[in-house]
Amino acid sequence: MAKGKKAVFLLSGVFSSPHPASGGELPTEAVAALGGLRASYDLFLAAAGGDGPDGGVGGPLAAGGDVFSGLCPLPAGAAGDLSRRLGEAIRSLGVRTEGSFFVADDPRLVEAAEGAGLCGLYILTPRGFRLLGDLAPDVFVFHDLPDAVRWILDHPEGPRSVSAVVRRGAAAIRRGGLVAFPTETVYGLGADALNPTAVARIFEVKRRPLHDPLIVHVADPAEVAALVTEIPPAARRLMDRFWPGPLTLVLPKRETVPDIVTAGHGTVAVRMPANRWARELIALAETPVAAPSANAFGRTSPTTARHVDEQLHGLYDEIIDGGACRVGIESTVLALAGGRTVVLRPGGLAPEEIREVTGEVELPVPRGAGGASPGMLASHYAPRTPLFLVDDARPYGDRPDVGLLLFRDPPGPVRGQVAVLSPKGDLREAAANLYQALRRLDRLGLRLIVAERVPPHGLGVAINDRLSRAKSGDTILNS
């Protein structure tokens, strides 16, 4: 091993049984995906004391054969001390920290690795989902290990590689181009919101109807005043509490906002995304960015850059790969008028959280009403495979041609394909997994997908809304 070579360190926990929504890849397959890294990196398995609480090293190390260069014991200690000790352990292996990566499902270890000078990548294993709330907001997140491996190969300089694409993307937006970019909700397809010709390309590429308005994204709350004629006190309180984040506010628009953005309405939908790269793109472009989800109109929303490329390859000027979207479901859209707070579209911010700021909240308008909010047409978010929505999917568990989309682990054996949104019944985890799970089932060539409704509270309101718009019907023919 050459002195000072770059390396990828993998916490053994990322080889544990993957989350069901990822497609159920076996640890040996995940290890095989690492083969492409060997030309440029040494690979080390990281573990605490050989068989620590991170999941154990025996299986992954054995399965890796000669893929791994060796074992990196993890030191103990508090966060700051852990970074120092980890850096010392890594350098003792003859590895330079700059340009190296640390892949884990433990926020504390990812933070320590970044403090030691590595690029930390976070995997959404079951434990990774459970601890996601403790993770720093700017850390790259991935559904599974193969996704992280592909990202490393495409971004050898880590965040610096992404920053270079963001700069190119901002230049593309300034000259009227389209850029696919990550947010905490789903990936967006963005254009200069004040350039009607550029915005028209969004509708053309997506084949989106012109009566479906777009959301305008800003990098700072101060930018909203240039887009709207009034910001009610309730809107300011909501911005202070939930921005940046998955909340869109519908406010009276200024004449500077083109009618094509708002579908001719006198209001504009505005939000400030939480994703660092989205805000950096908007700031460098020096203009607000209009963006719907970066997918073909009416189809399942993308939560990774790969999802975007599968549907829109070659139809955008740049794509920024920021890993997986943490929330995984579109923003909540609110209208504020006459002292009323009305949810136009349920999304990544639960109604219960909004009530803490505004008091009473009126829930969504009837399906298909559309209007000033995007994503409200009766048919939306649909996979190509016919999807049926039921209260209990168990009667269809013995059909091998049927895929089941379940909220939590099934109580018994199932013959067909199953995607579980949250094994332990966590609605935030279920929301983050929804589109990833739908896409996996949609790729399997099944006759149909049967989805169960989730509990109708919290983010369950948004999940059920998306499933109801994606469905082909409520009655399943037995033939």
Side-chain angles (χ1 to χ4, degrees):
M1 180 178 66
K3 181 77 171 178
K5 188 173 181 180
K6 296 184 294 184
V8 177
F9 296 84
L10 300 116
L11 188 69
S12 62
V14 303
F15 292 90
S16 63
S17 297
H19 199 278
S22 72
E25 289 179 301
L26 298 173
T28 51
E29 292 172 341
V31 171
L34 300 173
L37 294 175
R38 288 290 289 166
S40 303
Y41 301 91
D42 284 320
L43 304 181
F44 289 90
L45 200 61
D51 264 329
D54 56 306
V57 303
L61 194 57
D66 60 0
V67 171
F68 291 105
S69 300
L71 179 67
C72 175
L74 293 175
D81 188 54
L82 182 57
S83 291
R84 180 182 62 79
R85 291 174 180 268
L86 182 61
E88 292 172 352
I90 288 171
R91 287 187 290 272
S92 73
L93 296 170
V95 171
R96 61 185 176 94
T97 55
E98 184 180 359
S100 293
F101 297 85
F102 194 96
V103 185
D105 61 350
D106 183 324
R108 188 176 65 96
L109 290 171
V110 169
E111 178 184 344
E114 297 227 319
L118 289 82
C119 174
L121 307 181
Y122 192 81
I123 307 297
L124 295 173
T125 63
R127 181 175 70 165
F129 266 108
R130 191 173 69 251
L131 300 176
L132 184 59
D134 298 331
L135 187 67
D138 292 340
V139 174
F140 295 100
V141 168
F142 300 90
H143 285 296
D144 52 36
L145 181 57
D147 275 356
V149 169
R150 284 187 287 266
W151 190 89
I152 292 171
L153 290 171
D154 290 340
H155 303 81
E157 298 301 318
R160 286 193 295 274
S161 296
V162 180
S163 289
V165 182
V166 171
R167 289 193 295 273
R168 295 200 304 268
I173 285 178
R174 288 195 297 272
R175 63 175 181 265
L178 299 185
V179 176
F181 64 97
T183 77
E184 74 280 14
T185 57
V186 299
Y187 271 69
L189 183 66
D192 179 353
L194 304 182
N195 181 339
T197 303
V199 173
R201 281 194 63 200
I202 294 176
F203 288 90
E204 179 184 12
V205 165
K206 282 179 60 76
R207 299 182 180 178
R208 181 185 179 97
L210 290 171
H211 61 262
D212 198 10
L214 305 178
I215 294 174
V216 176
H217 297 72
V218 298
D220 188 279
E223 298 168 15
V224 175
L227 302 170
V228 306
T229 59
E230 179 188 5
I231 304 176
R236 291 194 182 276
R237 293 197 301 273
L238 288 163
M239 291 161 62
D240 290 343
R241 175 75 175 272
F242 297 117
W243 278 14
L247 174 65
T248 294
L249 298 174
V250 175
L251 301 168
K253 83 177 186 75
R254 290 188 182 275
E255 291 297 320
T256 50
V257 179
D259 284 343
I260 191 173
V261 172
T262 66
H265 292 282
T267 55
V268 61
V270 186
R271 96 173 181 97
M272 178 181 174
N275 185 281
R276 161 193 176 183
W277 304 108
R279 296 199 308 274
E280 186 172 317
L281 172 71
I282 299 164
L284 290 175
E286 299 179 327
T287 183
V289 171
S293 56
N295 60 314
F297 179 75
R299 294 300 177 188
T300 308
S301 299
T303 56
T304 69
R306 188 157 54 102
H307 294 165
V308 176
D309 196 57
E310 287 171 357
Q311 291 194 31
L312 300 182
H313 178 74
L315 298 177
Y316 44 77
D317 296 280
E318 294 286 349
I319 183 168
I320 301 166
D321 188 345
C325 302
R326 296 195 188 193
V327 176
I329 199 167
E330 292 83 359
S331 64
T332 299
V333 180
L334 282 185
L336 298 157
R340 299 165 57 213
T341 302
V342 182
V343 175
L344 300 182
R345 181 184 70 182
L349 185 66
E352 292 87 344
E353 296 180 87
I354 297 168
R355 286 192 185 99
E356 293 177 2
V357 176
T358 64
E360 286 302 311
V361 174
E362 298 179 34
L363 290 178
V365 296
R367 289 181 59 222
S373 173
M376 292 303 292
L377 300 181
S379 179
H380 221 76
Y381 315 110
R384 296 186 183 277
T385 308
L387 183 145
F388 292 84
L389 187 58
V390 299
D391 292 320
D392 183 2
R394 285 177 297 179
Y396 309 97
D398 62 348
R399 293 182 54 172
D401 61 339
V402 174
L404 301 185
L405 182 67
L406 305 179
F407 176 43
R408 56 195 315 161
D409 282 333
V414 174
R415 287 182 63 196
Q417 294 286 336
V418 178
V420 179
L421 297 178
S422 176
K424 295 186 177 180
D426 184 305
L427 286 168
R428 289 188 181 276
E429 183 178 10
N433 273 321
L434 177 62
Y435 293 136
Q436 172 85 347
L438 278 174
R439 285 175 174 274
R440 183 178 77 79
L441 292 175
D442 199 26
R443 287 195 295 262
L444 297 179
L446 299 165
R447 182 160 181 253
L448 54 91
I449 298 169
V450 177
E452 280 187 345
R453 293 180 179 86
V454 304
H457 58 80
L459 292 186
V461 175
I463 295 170
N464 287 335
D465 173 81
R466 300 309 188 273
L467 290 174
S468 70
R469 297 177 194 279
K471 72 181 181 180
S472 302
D474 297 297
T475 303
I476 305 173
L477 300 179
N478 292 321
S479 60

